[in-house]
Amino acid sequence: MTARGVQQAERAIEEFIRFWPLADPQQPLGAPLNALNNAVHALGDPIHSNPAFSEAARPALVAALPALVRALPKTIALLSTVCSAAREPAWAAAVRKPLYVVACLAQLVSFAATSCAACLPSDDSPHNAPAGSAAHAQLRQLLIDGPSVGAMAGAARLALDVSAPARPRGGGLPAQLPSAIWVSSSSRQRGVAAEACAAAAWKVLSAAAVFAWEVVQAACSLPPHMCSLRDAIGTIDVTDETDETAETDDTELSVTPEQRALAVRLVRSLQSSQLLPALCDAVLWAPRPAYAEGRSIAGGAVARGPEDFMQRLGLLYATTEYTLRCVYGVCQLAQDAGEAAAPGPSLLAAPELRRMLLSLLEILVEHGEGGTQGGWAANGGGGLNRGAPIATAAAGECAGLRYVLQPLNPGDSYVLHNELLRASSAAWRRRPDLRPATVRCHARLAARLLRAACRLHRGQGWGGVVLAECLGIDFDSSSDVDMLPVFGMIPLLTHAELVVVAAAEAPAAERLAALPDALEAAAWCLAAVAQQGSYLGTGDVELESFEYCQEAIASLLQRTAALLMDDFVTGWAGLTPELQAQVIQRLSAAGLLRSLDALLRLLVTHAPPPEGDELPCYARAAVSQACLLRPLLLPLLCTALAPPPAGGGGGSGGPVWEAPRELGVLVTAAKLVTRELWRFELEGSRGDSSRGGRGSGGGPAGGDRGGGGRVDDADRLILAVCYDQLLSAGLLPNTGLPALLHGRHALPQGSRAREAVVEALRLCAGVSFRLQPLYLRAAARMGRYPSRARGRASDTAAATARRIHISSSLQGLCTCLHALPACVVDLSPARVLVLRPGLLLTELEALLQRLAPADEPDPRTQGALRSMVPSGVRLALACMAAHPQLTGAARALLAPPEGEASAGGVEGGGAGGAPRLDAAVLVVRLRGWAELEAEALECLRRAALRSAECLRAAAALLPSSYNDDPDIPLVMPGHVYAMRAAVGGAGPDDGSPGGDTQHQPGGGVLAEGAGTASAAVAGGDAGADADAGVSAPGRERGRAILRLCGNPCCADYTGACEAELRLQQCSGCRAVWYCGAACQKQHWRAAHKRECGQLAGG
């Protein structure tokens, strides 16, 4: 666009003003219209060839602004005059003539708006920055004034009346207009007239939509595409309203008084003109373009070939796209103007907008279900078939758009769907009345919508294209990849967040009715985001925009877990078993377990490090995932790991060899805990008390004494504790992995699925049993070191933190102890001893000895925890005592040989300086928590003093199953009476139990299978297999199903799951596998150099 071109257009307008109005409507427009059309077309060529207006073209554009300022008022006046004349009865039969003029003038106004927006700053800086020309400010004022917006709204309504005469309309429109334009002498003339009117009408509508978008851009304080991101930040904001950071964000996004006045001015113009409802009506009621015998009639002339037809389709497509952009642009505009500054009806309150969004969302759902692709697919993607209709579109809302999308490239439809998701999420957040009428309907639509979006992202929907093919993203370019989280993930997360929040805030009955669909919507959203996350690569490129996505993901997980677990009546427990089974099928179809694993790895890979002592988002996400998995893990695994039917194939959840992917979230959690433990032990051995940073390297294990006993040891373990919540969900006896090995959900013996579950159980137990002694020790030491800060507030905070850590450590202890019976049954005795349950019990005894009354679990609020700790201790010792090959280890714990008694406490030394368990002290401490459980422990201790056979017989009298109800004691008085009768008068002072030699190494019961290794492990020898449970899966890689890098400090979390890593075998021992040379070298220097020869020889 140049100043000379604008001057030519201005002269053409002046000439046409002298020519208009015609004395006779049948008089041809002739040369004046041709001159105006040619001038406008010449102005539009640079815009069509360079829509972004590069810096090289901007000087010429700025020079043309003064001419546009002079020409625009004349254009607006003529446009209003012609639109008014076209509605007069005299023009009813020849309405296409003024419609041609309106099309030319509307395009000129649209070009002016595009030029104004192109002169704005190109980056994300505020749009109130000077554009370098006073003419730009004048042009912007002219465009947002009421006459300009009103004239374009009048042109859009005229075009809509002409092109869609059968649509439902309000009052105030002449009745003769819709019917008169179809009256002509013959069907041929009628077809030409209708097609010519439609062609001109769609030029007007597309110009009006572009004008609206460009004007909104010019008036907004920020580029409107940032509105969806800004709305998402507001949606996921779960912090306190008084937080200082919120004020900082507001000041960063502040609007100047001049900018606010500009926004108010445009808001009032849009309110009075109703331009946005007119555009929504155009999208809703656009008719199918007519064509016959392979010819398309455009502009009054017959054009052969599909080019003009495709151009017509493009006009309708552009109208829809820019109308959707206007929706979230108006959201930004309303934010800038403020409700008090712009009184009157809301721009988003029009019913046409609500109908348009819902209708377009239905189209998205249809495409996600894999709708057919008409002429485009039939012609091999090369163009439109001639001579035959593409498809028969039903009449009604969006019939024309449905018809348009069929011959277009499916990639274009995806771009339109992406705009729809952004517009609807922004509008629904600001105006809840735009959503479906009830929460249940909203949840149902969201579930279908997000499922369709996920299928489109995976290439399973209409056209079979995926995100990269649709948007043409260059994944080697950091700028392209950096925009993916904002434009791809944020709208999906916002939609899911809105429906989950709406369900949580609904009354109890509505909440329970909407719960299944809300859960499915969240599951499909997580799946779609995980699919998009696979495009982000390895994380070498710093993704600034992913900071908002990570918070949105963590927030959605947190809210979904709260919706599932918070209320016993309206949560998961409130659903009937039949409805629970249906929900599990839907969540399994969405691949919830795989999505959780992929998202956790995505957050760990790309999320920036936290600031200060803030808990990182990936740790919060892990805790929320654990809350989700506690009730859902078992049924989801039962569905996913179902054995294949006879004759091959997979079960309902897929083939059996997909077990590594379904169990991947537990494998990833175990890997994360191992890495944090490695850092903790390394820092302890180096004397560094700071929390390990993101991506820090590994080092040799510092033994179970890592941490040095500093006051912040518990805080330094907090990341490992968060990840361990996932492992705890897998170790729960009734709802975790043990339930897949025993009971009615038990997998068949010898099946690959059962082997995978056993491996997962060994991995989870090995890592969790390694963490919990460290955490118990850190919690026990918190009260011994004074806080560095002084004052009542700091003391209260320290006491609160201490109680939280103590309670959390006891809960982790209970999970490990209640999972031990499954480990005893399904793992080898050597594997059970590697878990070192004796060290866990020793640390528990030390914690109880140092526990102040104020720090004990409150019987009123934590009564279940007080009963679970003694029952877990009793259950662990009893199951070991009942096992023939573990009886010696259990006896060594309950009644250690003389001379190896505890020296009192974790820091005291037993034999060789290692701590020893004093079972008598432990029984005394637990009596106040659960009397019967403590009495059963005392009977076991006395039985251990007599003989191994007596201990085994006493353990067999105790119940072996865990009861979920904390009000029903696991040990009944009858059990205690029977045990006392079996033990007899034996006691701690009975002396030697009959000359037995069970306590001598290599003899008696210990020789039955436990051996000296059992005594060492049961006694808590810190040197026994320090990193056992971490390297164990890697050392059986030849037959293992689960894949895991052998380096405990591996930081490679790329891919959707650990099974996708390409592992390489150690050439020396051929027992350990690594994900790359870097991990192999790191582990070789740290530990593997010492053990490689032993593993090769073994």
Side-chain angles (χ1 to χ4, degrees):
M1 180 179 291
T2 61
R4 182 177 180 182
V6 176
Q7 292 171 359
Q8 291 178 351
E10 185 180 6
R11 287 194 294 270
I13 291 173
E14 292 174 350
E15 181 65 24
F16 195 88
I17 290 175
R18 289 191 292 269
F19 180 72
W20 185 268
L22 298 178
D24 183 5
Q26 301 300 326
Q27 178 184 349
L29 296 176
L33 178 60
N34 291 333
L36 180 61
N37 191 24
N38 292 335
V40 172
H41 184 74
L43 285 179
D45 281 342
I47 294 178
H48 293 310
S49 61
N50 186 22
F53 283 101
S54 62
E55 293 296 331
R58 186 165 296 187
L61 185 63
V62 172
L65 293 182
L68 279 174
V69 171
R70 293 192 304 269
L72 188 60
K74 303 175 184 178
T75 306
I76 295 299
L78 180 58
L79 179 61
S80 300
T81 302
V82 175
C83 286
S84 300
R87 292 185 176 275
E88 296 177 1
W91 288 94
V95 72
R96 66 181 182 275
K97 293 182 180 179
L99 201 58
Y100 296 158
V101 181
V102 170
C104 290
L105 297 175
Q107 285 182 313
L108 179 57
V109 178
S110 175
F111 294 156
T114 303
S115 303
C116 180
C119 292
L120 293 169
S122 58
D123 57 3
D124 292 341
S125 58
H127 277 185
N128 52 8
S133 170
H136 179 267
Q138 298 178 16
L139 180 62
R140 185 159 63 168
Q141 292 288 346
L142 286 173
L143 288 170
I144 68 175
D145 273 346
S148 301
V149 179
M152 292 300 287
R157 281 192 292 270
L158 174 66
L160 188 59
D161 291 339
V162 171
S163 62
R167 84 184 197 281
R169 298 183 302 142
L173 296 178
Q176 69 273 17
L177 178 61
S179 58
I181 63 173
W182 306 105
V183 177
S184 55
S185 58
S186 66
S187 61
R188 175 65 177 170
Q189 292 179 352
R190 190 162 54 247
V192 171
E195 191 68 14
C197 286
W202 280 111
K203 288 181 182 179
V204 174
L205 290 172
S206 62
V210 173
F211 164 82
W213 163 245
E214 301 293 2
V215 169
V216 169
Q217 273 199 110
C220 285
S221 61
L222 288 175
H225 71 264
M226 299 297 292
C227 178
S228 59
L229 176 61
R230 188 175 183 179
D231 278 351
I233 297 173
T235 303
I236 65 177
D237 186 12
V238 294
T239 58
D240 188 3
E241 295 181 357
T242 60
D243 191 1
E244 295 181 358
T245 57
E247 297 180 1
T248 303
D249 292 341
D250 288 342
T251 56
E252 290 176 356
L253 299 176
S254 60
V255 181
T256 63
E258 295 80 7
Q259 190 66 43
R260 186 175 298 278
L262 197 68
V264 170
R265 199 170 179 178
L266 181 56
V267 166
R268 290 174 177 171
S269 298
L270 292 173
Q271 287 175 345
S272 60
S273 65
Q274 293 295 295
L275 175 59
L276 185 58
L279 295 176
C280 294
D281 251 350
V283 175
L284 276 170
W285 304 109
R288 294 192 317 161
Y291 78 106
E293 299 177 0
R295 295 177 295 183
S296 173
I297 307 168
V302 176
R304 298 182 180 274
E307 291 79 11
D308 290 327
F309 180 75
M310 296 302 293
Q311 182 180 4
R312 289 276 307 283
L313 299 184
L315 292 176
L316 177 54
Y317 177 89
T319 302
T320 306
E321 179 181 7
Y322 284 105
T323 300
L324 290 173
R325 290 185 179 183
C326 286
V327 172
Y328 60 78
V330 164
C331 293
Q332 174 74 38
L333 190 66
Q335 177 80 8
D336 293 343
E339 296 181 0
S346 171
L347 294 176
L348 301 175
E352 295 88 349
L353 175 60
R354 183 177 184 273
R355 287 201 305 270
M356 181 195 72
L357 292 177
L358 293 178
S359 298
L360 293 181
L361 290 174
E362 288 294 336
I363 295 179
L364 190 153
V365 171
E366 293 172 6
H367 287 182
E369 297 296 332
T372 57
Q373 185 182 350
W376 188 271
N379 198 26
L384 179 69
N385 283 338
R386 296 187 182 186
I390 302 174
T392 303
E397 296 181 351
C398 294
L401 186 61
R402 282 187 170 90
Y403 184 83
V404 165
L405 291 176
Q406 291 184 14
L408 294 180
N409 190 324
D412 295 331
S413 72
Y414 178 85
V415 175
L416 193 65
H417 293 327
N418 195 43
E419 296 287 353
L420 171 62
L421 289 171
R422 294 164 58 194
S424 57
S425 62
W428 282 6
R429 178 182 177 269
R430 293 186 178 274
R431 294 288 306 213
D433 56 319
L434 295 177
R435 308 173 193 173
T438 64
V439 176
R440 185 175 184 181
C441 294
H442 182 195
R444 186 174 301 162
L445 176 60
R448 297 173 60 218
L449 166 67
L450 292 168
R451 179 180 183 272
C454 182
R455 289 178 56 85
L456 289 172
H457 279 291
R458 293 175 175 175
Q460 300 171 344
W462 177 62
V465 294
V466 295
L467 175 68
E469 299 174 9
C470 293
L471 298 183
I473 292 179
D474 180 11
F475 291 102
D476 295 328
S477 170
S478 60
S479 60
D480 282 1
V481 176
D482 191 50
M483 285 291 97
L484 178 60
V486 175
F487 295 134
M489 298 180 182
I490 284 292
L492 298 174
L493 291 166
T494 304
H495 265 290
E497 187 98 5
L498 287 174
V499 70
V500 171
V501 171
E505 296 176 352
E510 293 185 32
R511 178 179 178 179
L512 189 60
L515 180 61
D517 292 309
L519 291 176
E520 184 184 9
W524 281 112
C525 173
L526 296 175
V529 173
Q531 177 68 31
Q532 293 190 64
S534 64
Y535 304 133
L536 298 182
T538 60
D540 296 333
V541 180
E542 187 68 25
L543 300 177
E544 297 179 0
S545 61
F546 190 73
E547 180 180 355
Y548 305 111
C549 286
Q550 64 165 2
E551 293 297 335
I553 294 171
S555 175
L556 178 60
L557 288 169
Q558 176 186 347
R559 294 183 188 274
T560 307
L563 181 66
L564 188 70
M565 299 294 295
D566 274 358
D567 196 324
F568 182 81
V569 177
T570 60
W572 177 255
L575 299 178
T576 62
E578 295 77 12
L579 196 54
Q580 287 183 355
Q582 295 178 15
V583 173
I584 289 299
Q585 289 293 334
R586 294 159 74 176
L587 297 182
S588 181
L592 179 60
L593 290 176
R594 301 187 185 192
S595 301
L596 295 179
D597 186 21
L599 288 175
L600 183 59
R601 301 175 72 87
L602 178 69
L603 291 173
V604 173
T605 302
H606 292 287
E611 298 180 359
D613 293 334
E614 179 186 0
L615 194 64
C617 69
Y618 38 85
R620 289 184 277 116
V623 175
S624 300
Q625 288 182 359
C627 295
L628 277 174
L629 290 182
R630 285 190 184 102
L632 300 179
L633 179 62
L634 177 61
L636 286 175
L637 286 179
C638 288
T639 304
L641 301 178
S652 59
V656 107
W657 53 80
E658 290 295 297
R661 297 184 181 273
E662 303 297 340
L663 297 168
V665 65
L666 300 179
V667 177
T668 300
K671 183 175 179 178
L672 287 167
V673 175
T674 302
R675 186 177 67 167
E676 294 302 323
L677 290 178
W678 187 276
R679 292 175 179 175
F680 179 82
E681 294 166 351
L682 176 65
E683 293 166 3
S685 64
R686 291 179 176 178
D688 181 12
S689 62
S690 62
R691 180 183 297 181
R694 181 169 176 254
S696 59
D704 288 331
R705 300 179 183 83
R710 284 169 297 278
V711 69
D712 60 347
D713 279 357
D715 290 334
R716 290 169 48 232
L717 282 171
I718 193 64
L719 287 182
V721 173
C722 290
Y723 301 139
D724 185 64
Q725 298 294 314
L726 284 167
L727 303 182
S728 299
L731 292 176
L732 292 176
N734 294 331
T735 60
L737 299 176
L740 291 171
L741 303 175
H742 309 282
R744 60 189 182 93
H745 299 294
L747 296 171
Q749 291 286 346
S751 64
R752 293 282 288 174
R754 186 181 180 91
E755 293 179 9
V757 172
V758 171
E759 287 187 18
L761 176 64
R762 184 178 71 239
L763 178 63
C764 295
V767 175
S768 194
F769 268 84
R770 187 182 176 203
L771 166 66
Q772 294 307 323
L774 293 174
Y775 194 32
L776 284 168
R777 183 181 308 171
R781 289 173 172 172
M782 289 189 69
R784 298 182 57 193
Y785 296 89
S787 175
R788 297 175 183 175
R790 296 183 180 274
R792 180 175 301 177
S794 61
D795 293 342
T796 303
T800 302
R802 182 169 64 252
R803 285 192 292 270
I804 291 175
H805 281 299
I806 289 173
S807 176
S808 178
S809 63
L810 290 177
Q811 290 174 356
L813 165 85
C814 293
T815 301
C816 290
L817 294 180
H818 285 97
L820 191 60
C823 298
V824 169
V825 174
D826 296 290
L827 304 183
S828 65
R831 287 291 182 189
V832 175
L833 295 174
V834 163
L835 299 178
R836 301 160 73 187
L839 181 61
L840 195 60
L841 296 177
T842 302
E843 298 296 348
L844 172 63
E845 178 204 338
L847 173 63
L848 294 179
Q849 286 182 353
R850 296 173 182 166
L851 200 60
D855 294 332
E856 291 188 6
D858 190 347
R860 295 169 296 180
T861 59
Q862 296 179 299
L865 181 60
R866 290 175 66 92
S867 64
M868 287 173 62
V869 172
S871 66
V873 175
R874 187 266 311 159
L875 191 64
L877 291 172
C879 72
M880 291 178 62
H883 194 285
Q885 293 181 297
L886 297 175
T887 307
R891 191 178 179 198
L893 286 171
L894 289 166
E898 294 183 6
E900 294 186 7
S902 173
V906 178
E907 294 176 346
R916 298 293 179 182
L917 175 66
D918 191 335
V921 175
L922 183 60
V923 168
V924 172
R925 292 293 298 173
L926 293 178
R927 282 193 184 276
W929 292 29
E931 180 67 28
L932 290 178
E933 297 286 354
E935 188 62 32
L937 278 175
E938 176 63 20
C939 291
L940 287 176
R941 189 184 72 84
R942 294 188 178 189
L945 290 173
R946 288 183 61 87
S947 66
E949 289 78 7
C950 184
L951 176 61
R952 194 178 299 121
L957 297 174
L958 289 171
S960 59
S961 61
Y962 174 66
N963 194 326
D964 279 334
D965 189 353
D967 297 330
I968 302 177
L970 291 172
V971 176
M972 305 299 289
H975 297 136
V976 176
Y977 296 150
M979 291 182 68
R980 287 176 179 173
V983 174
D989 300 325
D990 287 346
S992 176
D996 236 346
T997 58
Q998 290 84 357
H999 294 301
Q1000 300 300 321
V1005 178
L1006 292 180
E1008 294 180 13
T1012 55
S1014 301
V1017 175
D1021 185 3
D1025 202 358
D1027 61 345
V1030 179
S1031 302
R1035 294 176 182 174
E1036 299 181 8
R1037 188 60 59 187
R1039 62 181 180 85
I1041 299 175
L1042 303 182
R1043 300 169 57 86
L1044 186 64
C1045 179
N1047 179 21
C1049 200
C1050 176
D1052 187 357
Y1053 294 92
T1054 56
C1057 64
E1058 191 74 11
E1060 292 187 359
L1061 294 182
R1062 301 180 61 182
L1063 300 183
Q1064 299 176 351
Q1065 196 176 38
C1066 174
S1067 59
C1069 63
R1070 297 191 176 276
V1072 184
W1073 294 64
Y1074 299 99
C1075 63
C1079 274
Q1080 184 177 13
K1081 291 179 182 179
Q1082 187 180 36
H1083 195 215
W1084 177 264
R1085 290 192 298 265
H1088 192 59
K1089 183 177 181 180
R1090 299 188 298 272
E1091 64 183 15
C1092 186
Q1094 300 174 2
L1095 293 174

